[in-house]
Amino acid sequence: MSKSERKSVLPAEPSHGYEFGGPIGAFATSLGLPLVCYLATFICNDISGCPVPATLHPSSLSLAKLKVETGWPENGILGLGSVEVTVWVLAYYFLSLVLYAVLPGEESQGVELRSGGRLQYKFNAFNSAVVVLVAALAGTLVQGHKFTLWTFIWKNYVQLLTANLGIAFFLACFVYVRSFSVHAGNSEKRELAAGGHSGNLVYDWFIGRELNPRLTLPVFGTVDIKCFCELRPGMLGWMLLNLAFMVHQYKLHGYISDSMVLIITFQSLYVLDALWMEPAILTTIDITADGFGFMLAFGDLAWLPFIYSMQARYLAVYPVHLGIWGISGILAIQGLGYSVFRSSNNEKNRFRTNPKDPKVAHLRYMETASGSKLLISGWWGTARHINYLGDWIMAWSYCLPTGLAGYVIQHSSMAPLGGGESPTDGSFIGGAPTKTDVVQSEAKGWGMLITYFYVLYFAILLIHREMRDEEKCMRKYGKDWDEYRKKVPWRILPGVY
């Protein structure tokens, strides 16, 4: 094999070692994070509380008690999944694929590959989401809170999580095996990811061996698997889960709280904004550097929709009333975060697309030996990853509406009021009508471990991603990056980090 042929398969840059703790870290992450998804699901529920009362009294904690309070399936682990639910989830993915194929979209080229050339992409995730959301709205207008989609999501939440985990696992295995068919001089511009061919099966399966795995399907045409998963099923799924939780709150309480309205609005704006700006993902590290393996498949299809929607799921059971001052404060935080996030990303994308654009032509930059231009003024002159700061500020506005989170579900027998009437919620214990109260009691504050988990996790994620970006840029630009860091010394938060 000649050197020129090898360039179409192997990375042009030297190996840069393991990330995520190597094979052991990859294995632990692949096993541990799905367990976190299930833990969050069971430990915060509509059966006993959030967190379940047994966890507040470790001395009397028992497995039997946990099973009752968490609503563990009677048939054990088999109850975590459902063939029927899996079929419907696959139908949802198929619908997304159909909409991708038939709806008009924006044609774009990706960044230049190490082996030369650029891949062609079609973007219409926003149009696809509009079709699905309009259909959901129509169903809601006809059936109200009993619309099948919303009741199906709430009733089968655990099984939906399991189905998406299964799809992520399957895709990771499929693209890993298929990556060994990448050959020298191929005409499809297939190449291996720089950090994804270490030779260790577990690590390469996790991190992603092939950079841009694609399939050419009859009728549907060419589908970029990584790009398809990045924003389509999971991002829209996050929004659908939130809407289902909002509808469930209305079903239980007869109203939609201001806290729920804020979270639904903020997160829907985030999702729709990402879908509208879909072509911008072509310059992200996910697309340009990372292979597609379990890390991205799981993150896109399972972790994002089910972990990011925890706040709305919490509020579905225990509404929080913020009032005008609470709403104003959270709106200010969201507005600040979104302004930093969107303005900085728009500035970068405009500069990369057309440096002579009047909106960015005044910005100062330094040119590297490789010909790249690095901004040293504007948003990107304040910090090298200033967009991450905006993202993290917005994360707070997703969690603060839950307040000092935590609740306990109490059941009490009610005596008839007279005339055979009883102020019950329609539930029964031992054949007797009961009243169900959702109160904070001793759980107050402890639920924050769940509803504020997103802020902590997101901070870790962004710092880790920033460190990966730094390593990538140091390898790419060498001494020029050292010079750039002197001109822009701060990483994410100016004056602090």
Side-chain angles (χ1 to χ4, degrees), residues 204-220:
D204 293 347
W205 170 83
F206 169 79
I207 206 74
R209 197 167 184 274
E210 187 172 354
L211 183 62
N212 297 297
R214 293 183 156 207
L215 285 177
T216 301
L217 304 172
V219 180
F220 299 106

Side-chain angles (χ1 to χ4, degrees), residues 13 285 352 368 370 374 384-385 466-482 484-485:
E13 56 191 73
I285 190 173
R352 286 183 173 179
T368 67
S370 63
L374 303 177
R384 302 195 293 274
H385 306 277
E466 175 271 327
M467 293 170 65
R468 295 184 69 211
D469 286 345
E470 287 286 314
E471 291 178 3
K472 172 178 171 288
C473 290
M474 283 191 285
R475 290 193 300 270
K476 181 177 181 180
Y477 300 118
K479 293 182 179 180
D480 287 330
W481 189 252
D482 292 331
Y484 172 67
R485 289 196 298 175

Side-chain angles (χ1 to χ4, degrees), residues 435-457:
K435 182 178 184 299
T436 298
D437 291 312
V438 183
V439 298
Q440 288 207 285
S441 186
E442 61 181 355
K444 186 175 183 178
W446 289 105
M448 295 175 69
L449 295 173
I450 294 144
T451 62
Y452 286 77
F453 170 76
Y454 177 72
V455 170
L456 175 61
Y457 148 75

Side-chain angles (χ1 to χ4, degrees), residues 291-479:
F292 184 73
F294 186 74
M295 178 183 73
L296 286 182
F298 166 74
D300 293 340
L301 307 180
W303 182 265
L304 184 147
F306 290 92
I307 292 296
Y308 287 24
S309 62
M310 287 194 301
Q311 295 82 19
R313 183 168 174 262
Y314 170 88
L315 292 174
V317 181
Y318 186 79
V320 173
H321 304 282
L322 300 170
I324 186 64
W325 292 111
I327 293 173
S328 299
I330 293 173
L331 282 174
I333 293 171
Q334 168 68 11
L336 174 62
Y338 183 77
S339 176
V340 174
F341 173 79
R342 181 45 58 204
S343 298
S344 59
N345 278 326
N346 282 346
E347 182 180 87
K348 177 185 67 174
N349 290 328
R350 285 196 183 98
F351 185 79
R352 286 183 173 179
T353 303
N354 179 19
K356 296 181 180 180
D357 187 313
K359 294 182 178 179
V360 294
H362 64 284
L363 296 175
R364 293 182 293 112
Y365 62 87
M366 61 169 283
E367 190 162 354
T368 67
S370 63
S372 298
K373 297 175 181 178
L374 303 177
L375 287 170
I376 55 174
S377 67
W379 281 109
W380 299 91
T382 60
R384 302 195 293 274
H385 306 277
I386 189 66
N387 57 329
Y388 290 174
L389 175 61
D391 228 352
W392 191 64
I393 293 174
M394 283 192 289
W396 279 97
S397 69
Y398 301 161
C399 302
L400 286 171
T402 64
L404 294 174
Y407 61 78
V408 175
I409 298 179
Q410 299 176 341
H411 301 284
S412 57
S413 298
M414 297 297 298
L417 291 176
E421 297 179 358
S422 178
T424 69
D425 61 356
S427 60
F428 292 80
I429 294 179
T434 64
K435 182 178 184 299
T436 298
D437 291 312
V438 183
V439 298
Q440 288 207 285
S441 186
E442 61 181 355
K444 186 175 183 178
W446 289 105
M448 295 175 69
L449 295 173
I450 294 144
T451 62
Y452 286 77
F453 170 76
Y454 177 72
V455 170
L456 175 61
Y457 148 75
F458 208 49
I460 296 172
L461 171 73
L462 292 175
I463 291 174
H464 180 261
R465 172 164 288 205
E466 175 271 327
M467 293 170 65
R468 295 184 69 211
D469 286 345
E470 287 286 314
E471 291 178 3
K472 172 178 171 288
C473 290
M474 283 191 285
R475 290 193 300 270
K476 181 177 181 180
Y477 300 118
K479 293 182 179 180

Side-chain angles (χ1 to χ4, degrees), residues 13 19 26 36 59 135 173 186 222 226 251 312 341 349 355 471:
E13 56 191 73
E19 296 179 289
V36 170
S59 60
C173 293
N186 68 82
T222 299
K226 180 167 69 172
K251 175 184 176 182
F341 173 79
N349 290 328
E471 291 178 3

Side-chain angles (χ1 to χ4, degrees), residues 151-286:
T151 57
F152 182 83
I153 289 175
W154 185 267
K155 180 181 178 181
N156 300 285
Y157 180 80
V158 174
Q159 291 74 25
L160 288 169
L161 169 60
T162 301
N164 282 279
L165 279 171
I167 292 171
F169 181 83
F170 169 80
L171 285 176
C173 293
F174 174 76
V175 296
Y176 175 77
V177 172
R178 190 170 177 269
S179 70
F180 289 93
S181 65
V182 176
H183 56 81
N186 68 82
S187 59
E188 297 90 357
K189 300 185 179 69
R190 296 176 65 191
E191 64 180 45
L192 302 181
H197 61 287
S198 67
N200 182 278
L201 187 153
V202 172
Y203 181 80
D204 293 347
W205 170 83
F206 169 79
I207 206 74
R209 197 167 184 274
E210 187 172 354
L211 183 62
N212 297 297
R214 293 183 156 207
L215 285 177
T216 301
L217 304 172
V219 180
F220 299 106
T222 299
V223 179
D224 188 291
I225 298 175
K226 180 167 69 172
C227 194
F228 180 86
C229 292
E230 185 80 7
L231 291 180
R232 284 178 169 272
M235 287 289 275
L236 180 57
W238 174 16
M239 192 169 174
L240 292 174
L241 287 174
N242 275 352
L243 292 173
F245 301 151
M246 180 181 70
V247 171
H248 191 75
Q249 185 190 74
Y250 178 80
K251 175 184 176 182
L252 285 182
H253 304 281
Y255 62 85
I256 299 174
S257 66
D258 52 10
S259 54
M260 178 69 85
V261 171
L262 283 185
I263 283 183
I264 295 297
T265 302
F266 293 161
Q267 297 188 351
S268 295
L269 174 64
Y270 185 92
V271 170
L272 294 175
D273 176 78
L275 299 180
W276 179 260
M277 301 295 295
E278 188 181 14
I281 68 173
L282 292 180
T283 59
T284 64
I285 190 173
D286 287 359

Side-chain angles (χ1 to χ4, degrees), residues 3-13 111-119 182-192 211-212 288:
K3 289 185 178 180
S4 61
E5 289 177 323
R6 288 174 62 85
K7 287 182 179 179
S8 65
V9 181
L10 301 177
E13 56 191 73
V111 299
E112 186 171 357
L113 300 169
R114 292 190 307 278
S115 56
R118 300 171 184 264
L119 293 173
V182 176
H183 56 81
N186 68 82
S187 59
E188 297 90 357
K189 300 185 179 69
R190 296 176 65 191
E191 64 180 45
L192 302 181
L211 183 62
N212 297 297
T288 62

